[in-house]
C-alpha cells in the first residue's frame, strides 16, 4: 500500500492506522499481509480518514499475478499509463 495525503493531520492518522496493519517499507509505503476481513476493515478505516477528493491510497495485491484487479485506489483517482499499471 502506498499513499499521498495532502493534509498533515490526515497523513498522521493514515500512517498510524497503516502501522497497526503492516510494516513500513518507505515513508509512505507499507507492506501488509492481510486476510480479506483485515483488508476490508483497513479499507473502511482509511476511507473514514481521508478526503476522497484530495487524498490518494494505492492498494496493490502482490499475490498471484493471475489475480484480476490487483490495483485498487481509495480517494482521488489518477489516470493509469496507456500500457496499464506497472510495479517497479
Amino acid at each position: 500500500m502506498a499513499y499521498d495525503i495532502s493534509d498533515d493531520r490526515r497523513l498522521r492518522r493514515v500512517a498510524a492506522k497503516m502501522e497497526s496493519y503492516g510494516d513500513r517499507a518507505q515513508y509512505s509505503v507499507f507492506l501488509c499481509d492481510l486476510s480479506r476481513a483485515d483488508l476490508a476493515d483497513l479499507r473502511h478505516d482509511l476511507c473514514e480518514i481521508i478526503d476522497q477528493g484530495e487524498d490518494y491510497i494505492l492498494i496493490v495485491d502482490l499475490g498471484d499475478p493471475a489475480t484480476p484487479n490487483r490495483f485498487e485506489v481509495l480517494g482521488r483517482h489518477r489516470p493509469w499509463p496507456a500500457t496499464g499499471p506497472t510495479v517497479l
Side-chain angles (χ1 to χ4, degrees):
M1 302 181 97
Y3 56 81
D4 182 14
I5 308 298
S6 60
D7 176 79
D8 287 340
R9 182 174 178 269
R10 290 193 310 267
L11 173 67
R12 286 189 300 275
R13 291 181 64 204
V14 167
K17 182 59 64 178
M18 293 298 303
E19 286 172 345
S20 69
Y21 280 89
D23 298 312
R24 190 183 294 267
Q26 299 233 341
Y27 181 72
S28 61
V29 177
F30 282 79
L31 299 175
C32 307
D33 187 12
L34 304 173
S35 68
R36 288 180 193 249
D38 286 342
L39 178 57
D41 289 344
L42 177 56
R43 188 184 295 118
H44 175 268
D45 292 346
L46 292 172
C47 285
E48 292 287 314
I49 297 170
I50 67 172
D51 179 316
Q52 297 286 331
E54 293 183 16
D55 301 331
Y56 175 83
I57 298 176
L58 175 64
I59 301 170
V60 180
D61 182 347
L62 297 176
D64 182 1
T67 302
N69 303 321
R70 296 178 60 201
F71 295 84
E72 177 183 355
V73 173
L74 304 179
R76 182 174 49 102
H77 288 266
R78 297 178 180 169
W80 295 115
T83 58
T86 302
V87 177
L88 300 177

